[in-house]
Each structure stands twice: as C-alpha cells, then as structure tokens.
Amino acid sequence: MNTSEKIKVHFTDHYLINPTNPITVNLIGAGGTGSKVLTALMEMNHSLIELGHAGLSVRLWDDDRVSEANLGRQRFAECEVGLYKSVALINRANRWAGTHWKAETQKFQRDSLGNLPEHPDATIYITCTDTVQARFEVAKILNEVSGKRYYYYGRDKPKYWVDYGNSTKTGQVILSTIGDIYQPNSDKYHTVANLPFITDEFTGLLKKSEQEDNTPSCSLADALKKQDLYINPTLAQMGSSLLWSLFRNGMTEYRGFFLNLQDFRSQPIPVA
C-alpha cells in the first residue's frame, strides 16, 4: 500500500500502556473546565486500575480561591467559598477515591527570578487556563523541562500535552506530543511521531482570542454571559475521551476537535 493511502495514526507511548508506577499528570487550572476534568481523571484512574494498570497520580495547579460566582457552574459547594480551588478539589478527590493526589496553590509558571515551578515534571500535562499568555508560558516550560535528559528514561518523562480552550459557546481540545514519540513499524498505518503544540500551530487563533474580555466575573449571571453553562463540561468529557483512547486503544487517528454548542457541531482534527 502506498504511504499516502495509509490512515495516519499516532501510537501511544509504550510507557503509558504498561507503566511500572502511576502515570504522573499535571492538571493546570481548576475552574470551569479543570474542575470537571479532574472528575473525569478520577473515573479514568479507577477504570485503569480495574484493568490492571498502575493508574494516575495527579497534581492540580491553581492559585485562585472559590468565590460565589463559581458556585453552580464549577465543581464547588457553598461551604468551600474562600478555599483554594486546588485544595478543595484534591481533598474531595482523595477522600472519595482514596488517592494521594496533590494540590498546588500557585500558578504553573516561573517565579519572579525566572525559576521553574518546584514540581514541573509529569508525563502528561493538561491545561485548562483562561489566558493565551498562560498557554505560551506552559509551552516554554515544557520545551525547557523536556530538554533535561538526565533522568528521562521512564517515569515523569514529559510525553503529552492536552490543551482545553473555549469562548462562550465554542471551544477546542488539542493533543500534542512533547517531542517525538517512538512509533512502531506498521504495514497498515502511516505512523506520526510528533503532534505539534497548539502554540505553534494555532498562533493566530490564540492571539485573536486573547483580545476577548477575561475580567473576573462577580456573579454566576456574569459568568454565564461569557461561557455557556455546558461548554466546559462538554469539552471536559470529550477531551477526556480522547485521552482515554490513548490508554484503552493504544493509538488514535485524531489529535483533537473543534466544538460548537450553538449548532451542536463537532469537527475532529485528524493526525497529520
């Protein structure tokens, strides 16, 4: 079969399929999308363990505190107002699932001296951030962290980045590899080792969205003017399904999707 006629796929890094330790995940952002992605990761962790997998070890990053405007649209209760979002969510997850996941009450970014975050290393990075600037900062950190090869022979080697982004009724999820992922030889498929960063491939789209109003909402009503009630959970579920396919199927023909809840359309992004 001609290479051009083969279906393009990306095979999951072998360490994700059969790890010796839980797969480390840095979940960045604990708001409308991140709080729901955490719930999906809890479900995914339980399911993986039941299938004989080592499961996941999640570290949640967010420096924001729960406000009244967060109730209803995000995964927070009234009794949690004033608590750090990351702490409230991780404590609840650990109590419910018996996990030992960690919370960071800071942004995933360099400090004032230009130093990397204290715990930057993970195999999978998931960003659910509000700003374009935060995405570019994460991309720079991933490039720097992945360049340190002295201990990257297994656990915590950066391999994948899943980015969630949305406006009022639209959004997208993009899967990227952090560097090249070894691909097996295949007569049936055209294998693709590198999936580009969203910050490299969709720079124009990101800069355009940067012009939107990202000021904090003072109430749930204000928040709903900026983001539809169900855009975040829909993205969270569909994006988590993409991540799940890497574990369950060991391969994917798609590296993300665009979603429009206005007319209920979803456009997959094939591996290219």
Side-chain angles (χ1 to χ4, degrees):
M1 181 183 293
N2 191 299
T3 302
S4 62
E5 298 176 350
K6 294 181 180 180
I7 298 173
K8 291 183 178 180
V9 303
H10 173 79
F11 281 96
T12 309
D13 185 271
H14 66 89
Y15 185 72
L16 268 69
I17 303 299
N18 188 29
T20 54
N21 296 285
I23 298 294
T24 50
V25 179
N26 271 333
L27 175 56
I28 303 165
T33 302
S35 61
K36 295 174 175 64
V37 169
L38 183 69
T39 300
L41 292 176
M42 291 166 56
E43 299 166 345
M44 196 180 302
N45 176 65
H46 179 82
S47 299
L48 286 171
I49 291 173
E50 288 296 305
L51 292 170
H53 191 276
L56 307 174
S57 177
V58 178
R59 185 179 295 270
L60 177 60
W61 299 75
D62 202 305
D63 68 335
D64 196 15
R65 293 179 183 268
V66 182
S67 68
E68 292 284 347
N70 301 141
L71 306 183
R73 194 175 64 85
Q74 301 181 15
R75 288 275 193 266
F76 300 108
E78 188 171 354
C79 63
E80 293 172 323
V81 171
L83 299 178
Y84 280 107
K85 290 181 177 181
S86 58
V87 173
L89 290 170
I90 288 296
N91 283 345
R92 197 188 316 153
N94 287 339
R95 288 195 301 269
W96 185 82
T99 50
H100 298 282
W101 294 356
K102 306 296 183 182
E104 295 286 345
T105 57
Q106 59 180 309
K107 293 181 178 179
F108 187 82
Q109 63 183 21
R110 291 177 176 82
D111 61 21
S112 58
L113 299 177
N115 298 314
L116 291 174
E118 187 175 351
H119 303 285
D121 308 316
T123 299
I124 299 173
Y125 296 77
I126 303 175
T127 46
C128 307
T129 60
D130 293 331
T131 67
V132 173
Q133 181 182 355
R135 287 187 177 88
F136 280 99
E137 174 68 11
V138 168
K140 290 179 182 178
I141 291 176
L142 294 186
N143 283 325
E144 183 172 342
V145 170
S146 64
K148 297 179 179 179
R149 304 295 184 184
Y150 53 89
Y151 61 96
Y152 288 149
Y153 293 97
R155 190 181 187 188
D156 293 345
K157 180 178 180 180
K159 297 181 185 295
Y160 292 100
W161 175 18
V162 184
D163 179 75
Y164 291 76
N166 69 279
S167 57
T168 306
K169 289 182 177 291
T170 62
Q172 74 284 328
V173 176
I174 306 293
L175 170 68
S176 305
T177 60
I178 304 172
D180 293 340
I181 302 296
Y182 170 78
Q183 300 289 286
N185 294 325
S186 175
D187 294 329
K188 183 177 181 180
Y189 299 108
H190 176 196
T191 59
V192 178
N194 187 283
L195 308 178
F197 279 9
I198 184 174
T199 49
D200 294 330
E201 188 175 18
F202 297 104
T203 304
L205 178 66
L206 289 173
K207 290 184 176 179
K208 181 179 178 181
S209 66
E210 190 175 19
Q211 300 172 1
E212 297 179 1
D213 180 16
N214 289 313
T215 55
S217 302
C218 297
S219 68
L220 178 58
D222 287 339
L224 292 175
K225 292 177 183 177
K226 299 177 182 178
Q227 297 185 358
D228 186 75
L229 182 60
Y230 290 107
I231 184 65
N232 300 115
T234 305
L235 282 173
Q237 290 294 305
M238 293 179 67
S240 297
S241 179
L242 174 62
L243 182 58
W244 172 248
S245 71
L246 290 180
F247 288 106
R248 193 69 175 127
N249 302 327
M251 59 182 287
T252 179
E253 295 179 37
Y254 304 101
R255 57 192 180 94
F257 59 88
F258 293 101
L259 175 69
N260 189 330
L261 278 188
Q262 182 70 40
D263 52 13
F264 303 103
R265 283 185 297 118
S266 176
Q267 178 63 46
I269 304 173
V271 169

